[in-house]
Amino acid sequence: MRHRTYAFFAALALLSAGALADDVWQPLAGDAARAALSGHTLAYANGATQSFSANGDTAYDSGHLQPGRWRIDAGKYCSLWPPSGAWACYRFEQSADGLSVRFTSDDGSATEGRFIEN
């Protein structure tokens, strides 16, 4: 009986470790953050997409195209959406599998996007 109990808990531990590995996010900053976004497009859960040009242009498309600017500043992803002249900055992380990124504001709210083919 003990052997089965240990085997059960060992299997449970392995499954839990795999689930936790899927939730691992790696912070990105500087050149790594620029390279992750430049020339790429993200898809969001709300159906919108956002493209990122190497020159700092970005476009958010939710059925209405909204042009903006992006940059990496002090280790954070920052965006500017006219007509506002204020930059908003977020902690920037990439998923362990490299297929998604997450933007987290100072209040802890987060938005995740998944890379799509251009």
Side-chain angles (χ1 to χ4, degrees), residues 54-81:
N55 69 2
D57 289 338
T58 187
Y60 183 85
D61 189 354
S62 60
H64 170 72
L65 192 62
Q66 184 177 8
R69 302 282 301 156
W70 75 279
R71 68 182 183 201
I72 302 300
D73 188 20
K76 292 187 172 187
Y77 163 84
C78 301
S79 58
L80 174 92
W81 300 100

Side-chain angles (χ1 to χ4, degrees), residues 6-25:
Y6 291 135
F8 170 76
F9 284 114
L12 185 60
L14 286 173
L15 289 173
S16 296
L20 290 175
D22 291 340
D23 292 338
V24 174
W25 292 87

Side-chain angles (χ1 to χ4, degrees), residues 30-107:
D31 290 339
R34 276 185 283 284
L37 292 175
S38 293
H40 297 284
T41 301
L42 296 175
Y44 297 105
N46 65 0
T49 60
Q50 185 176 359
S51 60
F52 300 86
S53 296
N55 69 2
D57 289 338
T58 187
Y60 183 85
D61 189 354
S62 60
H64 170 72
L65 192 62
Q66 184 177 8
R69 302 282 301 156
W70 75 279
R71 68 182 183 201
I72 302 300
D73 188 20
K76 292 187 172 187
Y77 163 84
C78 301
S79 58
L80 174 92
W81 300 100
S84 172
W87 287 87
C89 297
Y90 306 87
R91 192 169 60 246
F92 182 57
E93 302 166 297
Q94 189 169 31
S95 62
D97 63 10
L99 301 177
S100 300
V101 294
R102 178 168 62 189
F103 306 94
T104 306
S105 67
D106 288 339
D107 71 6

